[in-house]
Amino acid sequence: MIVAISGAVIDVAFSEGRLPAINDSLEIESGDRPPVLVEVQAHLDERTVRSIALQSTTGLRRGATVRRRGGPLEVPVGDVVLGRLLDVAGEIGDGRGPLPKDAPSRPIHRAPPPFRGKGAASELFRTGIKVIDLLAPLAQGGKAAMFGGAGVGKTVLVMELIHAMVAGYQGISVFAGVGERSREGHEMLRDMTGAGVLGRTVLIYGQMNEPPGARWRVPMTALAIAEYFRDEQHKNVLLLMDNVFRFVQAGSEVSGLLGRLPSRVGYQPTLATEVAELQERIASVGDTSVTAIEAVYVPADDFTDPAVVTIASHVDSMVVLSRAMAADGIYPAVDPIASSSVLLDPLVVGEEHVAVANAVRSAIEHYRELQDVISLLGMEELGRADRQIVERARRLMRFLTQPFAVTEAFTGMKGRSVPLEGTIAGCKAILAGEADDWDEAALYMVGSFEEARAKEEAARERQAAT
């Protein structure tokens, strides 16, 4: 029975038998309402456990009956959850009726696959987004993270990646909304229904207004579903998480509620362990994979924040979003210097790709070094070689922008998807000087280099006509 309640923390006493294990789930009866799920987090003595609520504790009282569930929380998995919206406990949230009672289920807590059983992530995951495919290629069966502060375009980029995968990706998609607004969940459901891909997608949400325990365990629920498709049905899975920082934040809230002393910058002392428990389960096993794309909020644009550093240590591709680039109208605002990928290796992507990527980075880096001089003295004070590099770097930065399909309603511009070969060819042409006498605007918000050429020729014809 319950002996103490303090917000989302509930102490439960057992009169007989062994205490339930850490991470086991319990069920609390709450009168005429559905039972409340809690998860064991600590053993206080030989008869009492401290648990954290996964659902609202409104209406609970001391003395209420508590039942063991015999292990960790189990959630429904398999084909029955495709096209559905679930919460952390696997309850339906889309108003389309309950799941079948005989639906298979799996525990949300599970050990990661053994290291010897993991496959190598070396196959490219083509996105059609120029700057990502060129400078921070994603790996099939790998982990990619989009790092950025508030309002620089993380969610838009993740949504565009979902849209880009729809056409060419035939596996299962699992979306985990961690600490999302309910509006975002409804928009996602509507967009996926409209695109006709909801039948291959599972949506799992732990919303902002839910207890920290629910937001903390939503990624585990998503992983349990993804692992079932990978291991039992041998299907490739695309796992999208927005936002992993809120998972860390929820863990910090739980840690404080449990009375643990905070660590660096107020984070939980178990930060590294919690992130590792999540990230190490995202892996390829045999010839099937779970590919993760994660949005990560960077508090106050501080990339030295312990949560950001810990998450970054687990990912294969880092896509860093820059507030300065967003302010200059460069979208997607991906920083070409700070973004990186372990796949940018001649043995994986080929020597030409690596050579072009390095040349693009070198030109943009040289431009940034000279920006203060240009601001103070103007372009005229630069030497001929420096001026040429700066002009080409500015054209490269504009060429790496592109309109997104998910923003068509706001910009009125049709979204573009560009094959990697087209991106490499366009960047090589700019570096070779083919666009030196073009207006920079011709390269801004276009798809291929040929489209930019047509835009430049049309602009010249208009100018000649006037």
Side-chain angles (χ1 to χ4, degrees), residues 121-124 137-140 316-317 341-345 348-349:
S122 60
E123 188 180 337
L124 285 187
L138 310 188
Q140 177 97 29
D316 305 310
S317 303
S341 171
V342 296
L343 267 75
L344 204 59
D345 183 296
V348 179
V349 298

Side-chain angles (χ1 to χ4, degrees), residues 253-451:
E253 289 178 52
V254 168
S255 181
L257 289 168
L258 295 173
R260 297 178 187 144
L261 286 173
S263 182
R264 289 176 56 209
V265 199
Y267 285 109
Q268 61 270 44
T270 52
L271 171 65
T273 305
E274 289 174 12
V275 172
E277 284 174 352
L278 173 69
Q279 300 287 355
E280 291 303 309
R281 286 172 65 182
I282 302 167
S284 301
V285 176
D287 57 356
T288 51
S289 63
V290 174
T291 304
I293 295 173
E294 310 167 8
V296 183
Y297 167 67
V298 179
D301 292 341
D302 179 12
F303 285 88
T304 64
D305 185 88
V308 175
V309 171
T310 305
I311 294 166
S313 67
H314 288 273
V315 300
D316 305 310
S317 303
M318 277 183 65
V319 179
V320 178
L321 296 166
S322 161
R323 189 171 300 281
M325 291 180 68
D328 287 342
I330 305 294
Y331 289 104
V334 175
D335 189 328
I337 309 304
S339 301
S340 62
S341 171
V342 296
L343 267 75
L344 204 59
D345 183 296
L347 298 174
V348 179
V349 298
E351 292 188 5
E352 183 187 38
H353 184 159
V354 174
V356 171
N358 288 340
V360 168
R361 276 212 180 99
S362 177
I364 294 172
E365 199 161 15
H366 194 68
Y367 167 48
R368 288 187 177 175
E369 288 170 1
L370 294 170
Q371 268 184 318
D372 287 344
V373 175
I374 295 167
S375 300
L376 288 169
L377 304 174
M379 287 273 285
E380 295 76 19
E381 297 301 316
L382 296 179
R384 184 178 174 184
D386 282 343
R387 192 183 310 175
Q388 185 183 72
I389 291 172
V390 166
E391 288 173 349
R392 288 178 183 174
R394 287 177 61 87
R395 284 168 172 77
L396 284 166
M397 288 172 69
R398 278 149 184 78
F399 178 65
L400 291 175
T401 64
Q402 71 190 83
F404 281 173
V406 295
T407 59
E408 278 181 30
F410 309 107
T411 63
M413 301 173 74
K414 186 173 173 58
R416 307 286 198 280
S417 178
V418 183
L420 176 60
E421 295 75 18
T423 303
I424 292 172
C427 290
K428 281 180 73 175
I430 295 168
L431 287 165
E434 283 188 35
D436 282 0
D437 59 342
W438 293 9
D439 187 349
E440 289 179 3
L443 294 152
Y444 181 67
M445 285 293 169
V446 295
S448 66
F449 189 72
E450 296 310 313
E451 185 185 343

Side-chain angles (χ1 to χ4, degrees), residues 230-248:
R230 180 193 67 193
D231 299 338
E232 304 295 327
Q233 296 195 5
H234 304 289
K235 292 180 179 175
N236 290 328
V237 182
L238 176 63
L239 176 65
L240 301 129
M241 286 193 274
D242 188 8
N243 184 309
V244 180
F245 178 79
R246 295 198 191 112
F247 159 75
V248 173

Side-chain angles (χ1 to χ4, degrees), residues 42-217:
H43 293 173
L44 300 182
D45 55 42
E46 64 273 9
R47 286 278 167 253
T48 314
V49 299
R50 177 158 287 169
S51 62
I52 198 83
L54 302 180
Q55 296 167 330
S56 173
T57 57
T58 304
L60 292 186
R61 55 179 176 77
R62 283 190 297 172
T65 304
V66 180
R67 286 197 304 271
R68 304 167 191 256
R69 289 169 61 96
L73 174 65
E74 294 201 357
V75 294
V77 296
D79 292 340
V80 294
V81 298
L82 289 174
R84 306 305 299 267
L85 188 148
L86 314 176
D87 67 6
V88 66
E91 299 294 329
I92 295 299
D94 54 17
R96 289 170 40 214
L99 296 175
K101 293 191 181 299
D102 60 348
S105 62
R106 290 290 183 275
I108 66 170
H109 294 288
R110 184 182 174 192
F115 188 73
R116 64 180 177 277
K118 293 184 179 181
S122 60
E123 188 180 337
L124 285 187
F125 204 94
R126 304 288 179 92
T127 67
I129 300 173
K130 290 182 285 190
V131 66
I132 292 178
D133 285 347
L134 179 69
L135 300 174
L138 310 188
Q140 177 97 29
K143 296 183 278 279
M146 317 291 163
F147 293 91
V152 294
K154 295 183 302 299
T155 300
V156 170
L157 194 54
V158 169
M159 291 290 290
E160 182 66 16
L161 283 167
I162 294 171
H163 190 276
M165 305 310 173
V166 165
Y169 185 76
Q170 295 304 314
I172 302 295
S173 297
V174 178
F175 181 86
V178 187
E180 291 284 273
R181 303 164 186 87
S182 57
R183 169 186 59 78
E184 292 172 332
H186 287 296
E187 286 176 358
M188 174 82 76
L189 193 62
R190 189 183 66 239
D191 291 347
M192 288 196 162
T193 304
V197 295
L198 194 61
R200 300 202 311 271
T201 306
V202 189
L203 304 175
I204 302 102
Y205 276 86
Q207 294 174 180
M208 278 182 172
N209 61 333
E210 294 187 52
R215 289 177 270 125
W216 192 38
R217 290 311 188 203

